Amino acid sequence: DHAGAGAVAADGTVYVGGGFYQAAAFGPSGGPGLTTAGADDGFVWRLDKDGPTGPTPAWARKVGGLGSDNVDGLAVGPDLAN
C-alpha cells in the first residue's frame, strides 16, 4: 500500500491518492475500508480539516478494475472541492 499523490483544496481539505493490494483501511479504528476488484487498485482519500485533533477522514473511494491500477496524480479546483 502506498500514497502516490496529494492535493490540498483552498478550504484546507486534503486529498490523498495511491494504490493498495487486497484490502486497506483509512483512518482511525480501521475504517472506512476498501477491497480490491482484482490486482492492485487505486484509491482517493478525503480528509476534512475540521477534526478535533487535525484532519478527519471523510471518505475513501476505490479506483480500478480487474488489472493493476494506481492514482499517481491529483488536482483540486474550486468546482471539485466537494
Side-chain angles (χ1 to χ4, degrees), residues 8-57:
V8 179
D11 69 356
T13 301
V14 176
Y15 296 86
V16 179
F20 69 103
Y21 178 70
Q22 293 184 336
F26 297 84
S29 302
L34 300 175
T35 303
T36 58
D40 299 336
D41 276 348
F43 68 85
V44 176
W45 183 25
R46 176 181 162 158
L47 296 103
D48 291 339
K49 65 174 181 146
D50 294 328
T53 59
T56 302

Side-chain angles (χ1 to χ4, degrees), residues 47-81:
L47 296 103
D48 291 339
K49 65 174 181 146
D50 294 328
T53 59
T56 302
W59 50 256
R61 301 287 190 271
K62 175 174 54 177
V63 179
L66 297 179
S68 292
D69 303 288
N70 193 38
V71 175
D72 291 322
L74 290 172
V76 178
D79 59 337
L80 301 176

